[in-house]
Amino acid sequence: MTREEKIGQMVQLAGEFYKEEDSENTGPMHEMNMSAEKMTTIGSVLGISGAQTLITIQKEHLAKSRLGIPLLFMADVIHGYRTIFPISLGMACTWNPDLIEESAVIAAKEAAVSGLHVTFAPMVDLVRDARWGRVMEATGEDPYLNQLYARAFVRGYQGKNLAIDTLRIAACIKHFAGYGAPVAGREYNTVELSERTLRDMYLPAYQAGIDEGSKLVMTAFNSLDGVPATANKSLMREMLRKELGFEGVLISDWASVGEMIPHGIAENLKEAGELAIEAGVDIEMMTGAYLNYLSELVDEGKVAESMIDEAVFRILTLKNELGLFENPYRGANSTEEKTIVFSSEHREKAREIAEESIVLLKNKEQVLPLTVHQKVALIVHEGQAKDVLGAWSWKGQQEESVSLYEGLLQHIPKEAIVLKTFVNGQTELDEDWLTDVDVIVAAIGESSYMSGEGASRSNIKLPSEQIQLIKELRTLNKPLVVTLFNGRPLDLTDIVQDVDSMLEAWFPGTEAGSAVANVLYGKKNPSGKLTMSFPKAVGQVPLYYNQDNTGRPLTALNQDDKYLSRYLDVDNSPLFPFGYGLSYTYFKYSPMQVTLTKSKKNQTDEVQIKLKITNSGKFAGTEVVQLYIRDKVGKVVRPIKELKRFKKVSLEPSESIVISFSLSEQDFEYVHQDFSVSVESGEFELMIGPNSEEVETNTVYLAFKRSE
Ligand code: BGC
């Protein structure tokens, strides 16, 4: 390969470059100083799909490329391709990694048959700040759950052998590292994170995705310890490559190489390119630093040609692993595309996952489930009835999705629904339509524009006109049910007292209305549990259950003391904690039985925990039983709770099940000040419950040897 041909492989262009009207004199090609000749060397393209389109682009590219190296097609297939699943934060509330894996299998299948090879997913960034709009793309605030989900996504997208299984696609873990912790929840902002916290809380999910074999990793936009991730040599070459053992392709985020200039660490694009290759970025997405300056940098002796070789080797390895050299069109098939994409089977799975992701936040007087004999007043925002897909639903079509009104029609006739729309809180509520209505269902929340990338909010309440609407509906003295469609934990304090029942539906995807209606009518008993805490006020944010204790903790016993770690105007606890979610039935937890045993391997203590769960209510239901620990005395301050295990169990009324958990030394280990990972013998609290707050606690002394 010539040097130009090698550099071409390291450049990723947007689909616009392949549109007929683009030329060297106008449009994106002109802006990037691209020539028709250089286009023949390009390695990958993003954000374009469709079997016929990509087959044509590939064919033309191969005809022009001297070496016949196929293009890689990549895109953001985040929670579904055309069949849209709930947003990732919603899917996380299923506490069901198998379902997440299934969603990724389907997303991969639809994407692959439409010609794609790589998805920029999963985003495995740990998140704690609900102001940040991108929490919708994350799986929440817990490192243990995030690890399970990272693995499930990667398994689902990639399968076992990408060369053979042409209906799977390569995954890309993102955004390395720490993108989920922008200061003040402001998108693209600086990240201030101690290395110990990064290692303890944030790295596990990246590591899990890499261990599962993710073929790519994407760099983050943010700076970490003062250096933008894309230029961060120690982060990429030491931590990612050497420590986490990543051997695949490292791709920059969109224009993040060029953004080193506004960051203020490169004077121009040439310097930015030098920093990126030094850091080990293999593919540059959408700025022309590599394309225009890499060769010059080698000539000037600033960049070793071996660095280019190394990057190209990894890119070609990926193409080879995808089987592109044998079959450059891979899964792309315009006939099968028609039957596979948005198939009824896929929609069925999307409905099932959406149902499991819904979280019942409140159910006073058991207003839910509704019965089919009730007359329902349905209040929806005029323009948002079909705005149910969420911000990352690239190929999803709103008009193909099921609105809540259509969902209700699957249970009750048209005559039993009074549909009222509101805009800016205005609706005609004072007519006689209300007289024979039995229950009001109000669909409120955020528009999909209000969360996702570039959608931070300093106010995470509902829009004020919606709060007003709920207050007015309350005065009507009818049972009032709220279904929330939104992409982040909201501050719901303004309405929580006014409503009888409240369902958090997130952006449920294509089958939104069917899923929510099935839950409203009890065809599906809700079982979702939050994976991000809901605050009582935005001022509490970042708010997360696995926080460290302070030297002056607020407890039930010292509420009147001022000089504690607290606020004067709101308490420290969330409105709805991590792990929280109700059911139409009730679950009784027996006291836990704890037994200590010795590990066969090294004779250190292991813990076995057993308890009985009984469905004591009237409906069949599913419960997520959660096990947390607390290390009472560590070498560094340890979180007040850490999720270590959970079990999701389904029980008929009056049915019981005995469940057991076991933990060994490794489960108690943590990152020390010198970044070593171990744990000391001592007292540990074991906590079991239906969420992170309502727990039964048992304290045990555990003797560990490994670290002593
Ligand atoms: C996002 C990435 C995404 C990329 C390509 C960026 O703005 O941060 O997560 O994969 O665009 O669309």
Side-chain angles (χ1 to χ4, degrees):
M1 293 173 85
T2 64
R3 193 191 291 160
E4 274 57 42
E5 283 166 339
K6 288 189 275 185
I7 293 171
Q9 289 300 312
M10 299 167 72
V11 176
Q12 176 158 100
L13 300 178
E16 282 73 62
F17 284 77
Y18 292 83
K19 301 239 166 87
E20 270 167 25
E21 61 270 22
D22 196 21
S23 85
E24 288 171 40
N25 305 319
T26 56
M29 268 177 77
H30 179 67
E31 279 159 33
M32 211 187 263
N33 190 24
M34 174 63 80
S35 68
E37 201 196 325
K38 284 190 210 157
M39 284 286 283
T40 67
T41 66
I42 293 302
S44 58
V45 185
L46 89 155
I48 186 164
S49 73
Q52 202 44 57
T53 310
L54 297 193
I55 288 172
T56 308
I57 293 177
Q58 189 76 293
K59 204 173 259 168
E60 286 174 5
H61 176 79
L62 289 173
K64 288 182 204 150
S65 143
R66 186 180 74 89
L67 298 168
I69 302 175
L71 286 165
L72 268 175
F73 296 119
M74 313 195 185
D76 292 284
V77 179
I78 309 291
H79 49 107
Y81 174 76
R82 171 94 165 258
T83 305
I84 303 296
F85 299 97
I87 56 170
S88 308
L89 189 59
M91 281 205 274
C93 295
T94 63
W95 293 56
N96 189 341
D98 292 345
L99 274 188
I100 293 231
E101 183 175 340
E102 286 182 67
S103 82
V105 171
I106 291 174
K109 204 168 174 183
E110 293 194 358
V113 79
S114 308
L116 291 169
H117 309 136
V118 175
T119 176
F120 297 129
M123 175 175 126
V124 302
D125 302 309
L126 183 127
V127 290
R128 294 174 158 181
D129 195 325
R131 291 170 296 184
W132 192 46
R134 259 193 124 162
V135 301
M136 57 79 74
E137 199 183 338
T139 49
E141 67 195 33
D142 182 71
Y144 174 70
L145 263 184
N146 285 353
Q147 284 178 69
L148 299 182
Y149 287 143
R151 282 184 178 274
F153 271 121
V154 173
R155 268 199 310 275
Y157 287 128
Q158 294 194 163
K160 290 203 173 72
N161 187 333
L162 285 164
I164 296 172
D165 199 348
T166 55
L167 290 182
R168 304 279 186 136
I169 54 180
C172 176
I173 293 294
K174 65 189 190 184
H175 305 82
F176 198 73
Y179 181 46
V183 169
R186 204 182 73 215
E187 182 68 295
Y188 313 128
N189 204 5
T190 310
V191 168
E192 274 301 336
L193 205 54
S194 77
E195 184 169 342
R196 203 185 54 75
T197 302
L198 173 72
R199 288 172 176 277
D200 208 26
M201 294 281 166
Y202 290 74
L203 282 196
Y206 302 117
Q207 177 79 73
I210 290 164
D211 290 349
E212 199 60 48
S214 180
K215 298 288 178 201
L216 296 95
V217 167
M218 186 184 289
T219 67
F221 282 126
N222 54 276
S223 64
L224 194 62
D225 201 15
V227 182
T230 312
N232 203 325
K233 195 169 164 182
S234 62
L235 187 66
M236 300 303 168
R237 290 204 184 260
E238 298 302 318
M239 191 178 268
L240 177 68
R241 296 272 184 212
K242 291 206 184 123
E243 275 190 52
L244 306 192
F246 178 63
E247 291 176 353
V249 171
L250 180 62
I251 185 166
S252 79
D253 201 345
W254 180 286
S256 67
V257 176
E259 287 171 17
M260 290 177 200
I261 304 168
H263 262 299
I265 62 148
E267 220 166 88
N268 49 44
L269 204 52
K270 185 171 169 185
E271 262 184 44
E274 184 181 345
L275 289 170
I277 187 135
E278 288 284 342
V281 175
D282 301 319
I283 299 182
E284 182 193 8
M285 189 197 295
M286 284 305 290
T287 34
Y290 284 0
L291 181 79
N292 292 308
Y293 302 108
L294 209 45
S295 192
E296 230 172 278
L297 286 163
V298 176
D299 287 339
E300 289 166 9
K302 290 186 176 145
V303 167
E305 182 128 16
S306 59
M307 280 194 187
I308 296 179
D309 291 344
E310 185 196 355
V312 174
F313 177 75
R314 285 195 282 255
I315 297 162
L316 296 182
T317 302
L318 174 62
K319 293 187 177 188
N320 190 37
E321 286 170 339
L322 282 157
L324 286 174
F325 291 109
E326 289 76 27
N327 178 8
Y329 309 107
R330 222 175 155 263
N333 184 319
S334 48
T335 316
E336 282 180 16
E337 188 181 23
K338 293 194 186 75
T339 53
I340 289 180
V341 173
F342 208 62
S343 68
S344 50
E345 193 192 323
H346 292 178
R347 293 183 59 170
E348 182 64 12
K349 189 51 78 179
R351 186 192 44 71
E352 183 192 334
I353 298 179
E355 286 173 0
E356 268 201 58
S357 70
I358 293 171
V359 185
L360 179 62
L361 296 175
K362 183 177 179 188
N363 196 19
K364 205 176 105 194
E365 320 284 349
Q366 282 95 58
V367 167
L368 292 178
L370 303 177
T371 73
V372 291
H373 309 295
Q374 289 169 304
K375 186 158 182 182
V376 179
L378 176 65
I379 321 281
V380 294
H381 189 291
E382 199 177 20
Q384 287 171 16
K386 295 243 178 189
D387 187 9
V388 290
L389 301 180
W392 270 120
S393 47
W394 179 45
K395 287 282 154 179
Q397 315 274 317
Q398 282 201 8
E399 56 286 4
E400 285 177 344
S401 59
V402 185
S403 68
L404 185 50
Y405 177 64
E406 289 161 340
L408 293 188
L409 285 175
Q410 296 167 14
H411 298 263
I412 52 172
K414 215 171 164 182
E415 299 68 47
I417 308 173
V418 183
L419 179 65
K420 291 272 164 191
T421 53
F422 70 92
V423 187
N424 299 332
Q426 301 295 312
T427 186
E428 302 141 23
L429 296 171
D430 48 355
E431 294 166 25
D432 46 350
W433 62 271
L434 194 70
T435 35
D436 57 345
V437 160
D438 299 303
V439 59
I440 300 174
V441 176
I444 57 174
E446 299 178 302
S447 71
S448 55
Y449 173 81
M450 291 163 80
S451 64
E453 186 174 349
S456 292
R457 291 177 65 199
S458 69
N459 169 1
I460 55 171
K461 286 174 184 283
L462 289 161
S464 57
E465 60 273 11
Q466 294 189 15
I467 297 171
Q468 189 54 32
L469 175 75
I470 297 299
K471 301 278 175 205
E472 279 174 37
L473 293 173
R474 177 71 292 168
T475 63
L476 304 176
N477 283 324
K478 297 275 179 184
L480 178 56
V481 177
V482 155
T483 57
L484 292 162
F485 294 88
N486 50 281
R488 57 157 60 74
L490 294 169
D491 165 4
L492 298 166
T493 41
D494 293 307
I495 64 155
V496 70
Q497 298 307 332
D498 297 316
V499 304
D500 295 301
S501 299
M502 189 153 60
L503 283 180
E504 175 55 81
W506 307 107
F507 287 106
T510 302
E511 289 294 319
S514 317
V516 176
N518 282 348
V519 170
L520 288 173
Y521 283 94
K523 196 170 164 196
K524 168 76 189 179
N525 190 347
S527 60
K529 302 267 189 176
L530 301 176
T531 63
M532 236 191 129
S533 309
F534 275 46
K536 285 187 182 133
V538 72
Q540 291 178 312
V541 165
L543 178 69
Y544 45 97
Y545 86 96
N546 43 4
Q547 58 183 295
D548 289 349
N549 224 5
T550 65
R552 296 190 180 193
L554 178 70
T555 69
L557 303 174
N558 61 10
Q559 300 279 322
D560 297 331
D561 196 343
K562 182 180 181 193
Y563 295 97
L564 299 175
S565 177
R566 68 181 306 173
Y567 302 98
L568 291 178
D569 51 355
V570 63
D571 67 41
N572 291 353
S573 62
L575 183 62
F576 299 114
F578 174 85
Y580 174 85
L582 302 173
S583 165
Y584 297 151
T585 193
Y586 300 95
F587 297 98
K588 223 178 109 228
Y589 284 57
S590 76
M592 62 172 131
Q593 285 171 19
V594 180
T595 322
L596 298 191
T597 51
K598 293 280 177 202
S599 97
K600 292 205 182 67
K601 221 165 84 198
N602 56 1
Q603 290 298 301
T604 59
D605 277 341
E606 289 184 338
V607 193
Q608 323 296 332
I609 300 150
K610 236 190 213 172
L611 76 156
K612 189 159 102 181
I613 310 289
T614 307
N615 180 346
S616 57
K618 289 197 300 250
F619 301 92
T622 301
E623 172 68 321
V624 180
V625 182
Q626 301 159 36
L627 167 64
Y628 298 87
I629 65 147
R630 177 176 181 184
D631 185 344
K632 291 192 73 177
V633 181
K635 294 282 185 206
V636 296
V637 179
R638 297 308 300 145
I640 53 174
K641 272 172 199 145
E642 292 176 88
L643 180 74
K644 287 295 164 182
R645 295 281 189 279
F646 64 89
K647 265 199 184 132
K648 195 166 180 178
V649 292
S650 295
L651 295 171
E652 294 297 320
S654 309
E655 196 189 349
S656 296
I657 188 169
V658 174
I659 58 177
S660 51
F661 296 106
S662 64
L663 296 173
S664 57
E665 176 164 356
Q666 216 185 348
D667 297 305
F668 295 90
E669 289 178 346
Y670 60 93
V671 179
H672 287 60
Q673 217 180 355
D674 62 359
F675 309 139
S676 63
V677 178
S678 62
V679 60
E680 303 75 37
S681 305
E683 280 194 340
F684 294 84
E685 286 176 0
L686 307 170
M687 291 162 273
I688 294 243
N691 60 61
S692 61
E693 282 200 343
E694 290 169 72
V695 291
E696 185 214 354
T697 306
N698 220 310
T699 306
V700 289
Y701 182 92
L702 298 176
F704 297 126
K705 271 193 199 144
R706 262 169 46 152
S707 48
E708 275 150 43

